[in-house]
Amino acid sequence: MTETFRHSGEYHQQQSSAPVPPGGTQGAFPPPPAYAPEAPQGPAPARRRRAKGPVALLAAVAIAAAAVGGGTAFAVQTLTDRDNGSSATSTDVVPTSKKGTVAGVAEAVGPSIVEISASTGQGKSTGSGVILKSNGEIITNNHVVSGATSVKVRTSDGKTYDAEVVGTDSKKDLALIQLKNASGLKPATLGNSGNVKVGDEVVAIGSPEGLTGTVTSGIISALDRDVTVSTGEGQQQPQNPEGGWPFEFGGQQFNGDTGSSKTTYKALQTDASLNPGNSGGALIDMNGNIIGINSAMYSPSSSGQGSGESASGSVGLGFAIPVDTVKNDLSTLRSGSKT
């Protein structure tokens, strides 16, 4: 908001209508006007009562600041604490002094990422999740909790909570879980994956191999990759004894057999290092917005090509479910749908 301020002396003074004193250069009173001046109606215009100079400037600046402050308060209320402290949408989470740095993103978003341990009939699987609400609503991958008989979650401050599965969507490999007796957690900020471009810098946070809060970075290396993953229907995770994520890409199977029940989605591809345990964690832009949920990685050790390459690990080909897909699915997951 801008205003133009006049400096002292820029307001023109009215000519005096007082008579010339006796002895002046005219030597006499001027003749009276032909009619009486019209009396002013109502109070004098406000501008004639304005303080001049620095006082006027300070008053106007105070008014402007109040208006900006009110607008800011409205914006903050709109972006936060909606629906029980739910996640905001597309804003700058990283402080200005640390904007554009991996350290800044990690510091700002790390408290919103959790480690998930799911017990199944075949053992335990470890994954990650993203906090959506301060009361412990968390989004993760369906394959992290598929077939789970119990779910435990550890937050970044080391606290452990029991959790229950609220809703699942195996076709999109998404699941919503709710912590029990949780409050005061820090929700993440959901961005817009439709704005993501190849070459954009990103940060991944998760719990690979149970290493809670691990941070890696890279770029978006491709968009709209067709990735086929197991839906987990009729089977339990993990399928691969090495802890891999079963999925197909380019007509080949990786990280174990996907089984007969599978689904394909369009994914963001990144070269940020992803490993087993990152599944369900966050892919984040440099402003601190979540742009994807990490869901699969390429590992040549299980490509089935007999290459003899040694064990698992990231080779710079990771895939994430776009956050726009997540946002579109949230109402269904929150309704308790389990498909």
Side-chain angles (χ1 to χ4, degrees), residues 44-60:
R47 65 180 181 84
R48 294 184 180 178
R49 297 201 305 271
R50 278 186 181 175
K52 298 179 182 179
V55 175
L57 179 61
L58 289 174

Side-chain angles (χ1 to χ4, degrees), residues 12 14 17 22 48 85 102 106 112 129 139 147 171 178 238-239 250 256 298 306:
H12 298 293
Q14 300 266 346
S17 59
R48 294 184 180 178
V102 175
S112 301
I139 191 75
K171 300 299 182 184
Q178 177 66 51
Q239 292 299 309
Y298 171 88

Side-chain angles (χ1 to χ4, degrees), residues 214-232:
T214 295
V215 178
T216 58
S217 64
I219 63 168
I220 294 294
S221 53
L223 304 173
D224 298 326
R225 291 297 199 201
D226 285 327
V227 173
T228 302
V229 298
S230 169
T231 63

Side-chain angles (χ1 to χ4, degrees), residues 13 76 118 124 271 282:
Q13 300 291 330
V76 169
K124 290 185 177 180
D271 69 349

Side-chain angles (χ1 to χ4, degrees), residues 308-324:
E309 294 183 59
S310 63
S312 59
S314 174
V315 293
L317 288 174
F319 304 94
I321 301 168
V323 75
D324 288 355

